[in-house]
Amino acid sequence: MCFINLISLRNSSSFQQNAQNAFKVRLSIKTALGDNAYAWDANEEYLFKAMVAFAMRRYSSKSTTQISDVLLCNVTDRVSFWFVVTDSSQNMTAVPGSVVEAAIRMNRNRINSAFLLSDKTLQFLKITSTLSPPVEPSTPVWLIVFGVVLCLIVAGIVFLVVAGIQQRKKKNKESTERENLEEKGEVTVTVENGIPCEALDLKAGHINGVFAADDERFTSL
């Protein structure tokens, strides 16, 4: 691979060690952006190096990674390449792959955003995709639940109050109608134990048929 000379590797054992610290990247710009796809050129390569250096610095506060410490090679027209991160303070020794992987995973969303791509269209083949952090609502969940429960309680209280008022109006209306009928002297029929009974007309009175017969028997001629 081309980065053998760049990191001054002199023997096969060093090559094997640093090959494990290299990562292959594949970009699907046309698939992701269609007609708005941009060309991959030296400027895009510079941006990629800058984003990797940014990721390394952000991952470790002690990191002094420079853009020149990120080396690219084997760039293809279908936009794939290998990269390795070196440490200039240690004679261009490759940074361990585990450190680079952790830095990329931590800043994956920032790198994707820089190239207008996603985990599916900007692939680090040896680095597993990371899920986007969950979006936290501006209002706490418990407050939303409390608001819903409170609304249900208030709605229930309002319903009971309205139902009580309507029932009271209905009773008052029936009572008023009954009083009006009594004042007019109209006889109403009530039901007692399932048997209809005629209410007494208090004004006109009611004549018992038994006593009426006795009165006719003793009436003088």
Side-chain angles (χ1 to χ4, degrees):
M1 294 182 181
C2 68
F3 54 79
I4 297 177
N5 294 329
L6 292 175
I7 58 178
S8 302
L9 301 178
R10 295 181 180 180
N11 53 55
S12 59
S13 61
S14 296
F15 168 75
Q16 293 295 333
Q17 178 182 359
N18 288 278
Q20 295 178 356
N21 298 325
F23 296 88
K24 186 174 183 179
V25 180
R26 181 182 298 136
L27 294 86
S28 302
I29 304 174
K30 185 70 176 179
T31 301
L33 303 177
D35 295 337
N36 296 323
Y38 50 84
W40 186 263
D41 53 19
N43 294 328
E44 300 298 333
E45 291 182 6
Y46 182 87
L47 177 60
F48 180 84
K49 294 178 182 180
M51 291 306 300
V52 173
F54 163 79
M56 295 296 297
R57 285 171 168 265
R58 190 164 183 262
Y59 173 72
S60 176
S61 58
K62 297 181 180 179
S63 176
T64 57
T65 304
Q66 304 294 326
I67 295 177
S68 58
D69 292 331
V70 182
L71 309 178
L72 271 63
C73 66
N74 291 354
V75 181
T76 66
D77 293 336
R78 300 186 66 178
V79 194
S80 67
F81 54 86
W82 288 80
F83 80 93
V84 64
V85 180
T86 62
D87 188 349
S88 56
S89 65
Q90 298 185 12
N91 195 25
M92 298 296 289
T93 303
V95 175
S98 58
V99 177
V100 177
E101 179 177 357
I104 295 297
R105 285 175 59 86
M106 177 181 175
N107 298 276
R108 187 67 181 270
N109 292 332
R110 297 289 295 273
I111 297 173
N112 290 348
S113 299
F115 296 97
L116 307 178
L117 301 176
S118 65
D119 287 359
K120 293 182 179 180
T121 52
L122 174 54
Q123 297 175 309
F124 293 81
L125 300 188
K126 288 170 54 178
I127 302 176
T128 56
S129 300
T130 55
L131 297 177
S132 300
V135 179
E136 296 183 359
S138 57
T139 305
V141 177
W142 68 266
L143 185 59
I144 297 175
V145 174
F146 175 77
V148 171
V149 173
L150 182 62
C151 290
L152 292 176
I153 293 175
V154 172
I157 293 175
V158 172
F159 174 78
L160 292 176
V161 171
V162 173
I165 293 174
Q166 291 179 347
Q167 187 175 4
R168 183 175 300 177
K169 287 182 178 180
K170 184 177 180 181
K171 289 182 178 180
N172 292 338
K173 183 178 180 180
E174 292 177 353
S175 177
T176 303
E177 291 177 351
R178 189 180 302 110
E179 291 177 357
N180 292 337
L181 291 176
E182 291 177 355
E183 291 177 358
K184 293 178 180 179
E186 296 181 0
V187 179
T188 58
V189 178
T190 59
V191 178
E192 296 289 344
N193 297 325
I195 302 174
C197 303
E198 291 185 357
L200 294 177
D201 188 347
L202 299 178
K203 293 183 178 180
H206 189 78
I207 300 176
N208 193 316
V210 176
F211 295 102
D214 291 339
D215 290 340
E216 291 178 358
R217 185 178 55 185
F218 294 105
T219 302
S220 57
L221 297 176

